[in-house]
Amino acid sequence: MTPTVLKIIFIAVGLFLAYKLIFSGKKGLTIFEMHFKDGRLASHKGKIPEKFQRECRAIAKAEKLTCSVRCEKAGTVRLHVSANVSDAITQRIRNQFPFEYYDKKQIDNSRQAG
């Protein structure tokens, strides 16, 4: 009976590791993150467009927000705002974000036909 119990445990551990490897991890490359606490920018990382950062700070200060704003690139650029922020404020933040800055198509000059 002991060998079957060990086989079951081994298979369960293997399935768990496979699940973690397949479904864990971030979906895309994080461009920047901003963390606000009580309306103040507590920490940030990455390159944040100046105008967007200024506008987010103004919104967070006016609303006394405690949240995080993250921008990811996985094919297209996506803006994530914490779930504890109301939909109206989330929309105000999204309206300030310069999506067109990141949507520029990069031309690959390495394989141009002559």
Side-chain angles (χ1 to χ4, degrees):
M1 179 139 169
T2 306
T4 55
V5 172
L6 289 175
K7 287 179 187 176
I8 292 172
I9 291 173
F10 183 75
I11 291 171
V13 168
L15 289 173
F16 176 76
L17 289 176
Y19 174 79
K20 282 304 224 179
L21 288 173
I22 293 171
F23 295 110
S24 68
K26 293 190 176 183
K27 299 290 183 195
L29 171 73
T30 301
I31 297 173
F32 65 81
E33 281 187 48
M34 294 188 297
H35 298 278
F36 294 97
K37 186 170 183 177
D38 297 325
R40 298 183 58 109
L41 184 63
S43 66
H44 64 87
K45 67 179 181 181
K47 183 163 176 30
I48 307 168
E50 289 181 32
K51 184 178 178 187
F52 178 68
Q53 183 178 8
R54 204 172 37 245
E55 295 296 327
C56 277
R57 285 177 130 176
I59 292 170
K61 185 176 181 181
E63 304 293 333
K64 299 289 186 207
L65 293 179
T66 299
C67 68
S68 65
V69 178
R70 185 176 75 242
C71 179
E72 288 183 350
K73 182 173 181 113
T76 59
V77 175
R78 298 192 63 192
L79 190 66
H80 301 279
V81 182
S82 296
N84 62 342
V85 178
S86 71
D87 291 338
I89 296 172
T90 300
Q91 189 59 49
R92 285 176 55 195
I93 292 172
R94 285 184 188 281
N95 289 344
Q96 298 300 323
F97 187 71
F99 285 102
E100 64 278 354
Y101 177 77
Y102 294 103
D103 288 340
K104 294 177 185 171
K105 302 287 184 193
Q106 294 183 355
I107 301 170
D108 185 13
N109 294 325
S110 62
R111 297 188 63 192
Q112 286 185 345

